[in-house]
């Protein structure tokens, strides 16, 4: 599935943190839309997608003039008090088109010049390693949260065939951690995984966040049902993994190799 790209001039970039993101003063989305088109994405059932008239995953808006706008908004926000930013809440900041457009990199450059008190970079793309130089300059003010929903590539292909391969994400985590960038692995949403999953993550991160459809889709799982996700589990004969308590299985496996204070569940794991 190829995405169609549109260039848009945003009126604002920093949005007030609310709901699931109340721990943050602001959220920041360098793009609108997402080429990864994950089957379970809760944004599919949000107005930004529903009123677009085109299927989620087939279009991406590229925000032009984003760096200059952020510089103004960020300085204004910092003058009012502490600033914490979640990037991104309704897209991946490292879209495939970011290789060319570098909108996210331009925003990081602004944040290096005018540092927020905290920045969480939420992505599933290994492209984040391109910006190691900027992430290192942000020091302890940044955390890169890499989505790794499963360790099984065949599961990844079933639920999100256009997303980056799992092995590439794990390599990115290793590179970030080795360079000294604060990182976490985010198993969100929980997909079927193997018993060896925790052992894969243990050398790479000292912090893991676990979330599922019921806690994390903003509607108690209703958006997920509307997306038809339960049937995707059924196609594999893995309906038990779609149950509200499935995350406990993964949590208990992780507890065998991670300390309790290294594991976070849902909103707590995304907080600054």
């Amino acid at each position: 599935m190829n995405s169609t790209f549109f260039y848009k001039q945003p009126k604002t970039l920093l949005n007030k943190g609310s709901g699931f993101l109340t721990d943050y003063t602001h959220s920041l989305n360098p793009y609108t839309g997402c080429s990864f088109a994950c089957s379970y994405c809760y944004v599919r059932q949000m107005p930004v997608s529903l009123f677009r008239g085109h299927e989620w995953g087939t279009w991406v808006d590229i925000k032009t003039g984003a760096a200059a706008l952020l510089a103004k908004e960020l300085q204004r926000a910092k003058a009012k008090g502490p600033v914490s930013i979640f990037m991104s809440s309704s897209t991946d900041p490292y879209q495939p088109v970011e290789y060319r457009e570098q909108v996210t990199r331009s925003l990081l450059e602004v944040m290096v010049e005018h540092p927020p008190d905290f920045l969480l970079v939420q992505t599933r793309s290994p492209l984040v390693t391109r910006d190691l130089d900027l992430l290192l300059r942000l020091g302890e003010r940044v955390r890169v949260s890499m989505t790794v929903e499963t360790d099984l590539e065949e599961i990844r292909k079933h639920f999100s065939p256009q997303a980056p391969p799992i092995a590439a994400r794990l390599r990115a985590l290793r590179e970030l951690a080795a360079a000294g960038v604060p990182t976490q692995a985010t198993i969100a949403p929980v997909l079927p995984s193997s018993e060896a999953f925790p052992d894969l993550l243990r050398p790479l991160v000292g912090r893991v966040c676990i979330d599922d459809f019921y806690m994390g889709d903003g509607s108690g799982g209703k958006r997920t049902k509307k997306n038809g996700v339960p049937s995707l589990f059924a196609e594999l004969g893995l309906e038990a993994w779609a149950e509200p308590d499935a995350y406990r299985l993964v949590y208990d496996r992780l507890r065998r190799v991670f300390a309790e204070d290294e594991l976070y569940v849902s909103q707590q794991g995304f907080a600054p």
Side-chain angles (χ1 to χ4, degrees):
M1 190 192 305
N2 293 321
S3 292
T4 303
F5 301 108
F6 304 90
Y7 291 87
K8 299 285 180 77
Q9 177 76 54
K11 290 187 173 66
T12 182
L13 278 173
L14 289 178
N15 297 304
K16 190 176 185 305
S18 61
F20 196 81
L21 300 179
T22 48
D23 295 308
Y24 289 85
T25 60
H26 300 88
S27 64
L28 171 58
N29 293 286
Y31 298 90
T32 307
C34 185
S35 293
F36 294 145
C38 300
S39 60
Y40 46 74
C41 184
Y42 61 85
V43 185
R44 286 176 177 271
Q45 296 300 325
M46 294 177 70
V48 68
S49 173
L50 294 173
F51 299 141
R52 183 70 179 216
H54 299 283
E55 187 183 347
W56 182 253
T58 65
W59 57 274
V60 174
D61 291 345
I62 298 159
K63 297 183 179 180
T64 61
L69 180 56
L70 179 63
K72 288 179 192 170
E73 291 189 338
L74 191 49
Q75 289 178 79
R76 203 177 303 137
K78 282 166 65 75
K80 294 177 181 176
V83 174
S84 52
I85 298 174
F86 188 99
M87 185 174 79
S88 300
S89 57
S90 60
T91 187
D92 194 301
Y94 287 96
Q95 292 295 305
V97 76
E98 168 67 13
Y99 280 97
R100 182 183 79 217
E101 297 295 337
Q102 300 198 17
V103 177
T104 296
R105 183 169 176 84
S106 75
L107 298 178
L108 287 174
E109 287 171 344
V110 170
M111 287 188 264
V112 165
E113 292 302 314
H114 309 283
D117 294 270
F118 184 78
L119 167 68
L120 187 127
V121 178
Q122 180 65 53
T123 185
R124 66 189 63 229
S125 173
L127 178 56
V128 65
T129 59
R130 179 202 63 190
D131 294 336
L132 257 174
D133 57 329
L134 299 173
L135 296 168
L136 285 169
R137 288 177 68 187
L138 285 165
E140 292 300 314
R141 293 171 182 262
V142 72
R143 182 189 309 138
V144 175
S145 177
M146 178 67 73
T147 298
V148 192
E149 318 93 311
T150 176
D151 60 332
L152 303 174
E153 185 65 0
E154 62 271 27
I155 295 293
R156 193 276 302 169
K157 287 178 179 175
H158 184 73
F159 287 90
S160 52
Q162 289 170 236
I166 298 299
R169 301 186 215 178
L170 296 176
R171 281 196 301 272
L173 269 177
R174 185 179 292 111
E175 187 177 340
L176 290 164
V181 175
T183 57
Q184 74 176 23
T186 304
I187 305 172
V190 167
L191 293 181
S193 58
S194 78
E195 287 190 32
F197 194 13
D199 298 301
L200 268 179
L201 296 176
R202 177 69 275 185
L204 308 180
V205 292
R207 180 184 171 105
V208 180
C209 170
I210 308 167
D211 203 4
D212 67 5
F213 304 108
Y214 302 92
M215 295 181 282
D217 80 351
S219 66
K222 289 175 189 166
R223 286 176 178 151
T224 299
K225 283 183 180 171
K226 283 184 180 174
N227 282 337
V229 174
S231 66
L232 290 173
F233 284 93
E235 285 170 18
L236 300 174
L238 295 170
E239 292 91 336
W241 280 88
E243 294 298 319
D245 61 350
Y247 84 95
R248 291 292 327 177
L249 172 64
V250 178
Y251 185 89
D252 291 342
R253 286 175 177 174
L254 288 162
R255 276 291 284 119
R256 292 201 283 268
V257 295
F258 285 91
E260 200 162 338
D261 63 1
E262 295 176 307
L263 298 176
Y264 298 81
V265 176
S266 196
Q267 188 173 351
Q268 175 194 37
F270 296 100

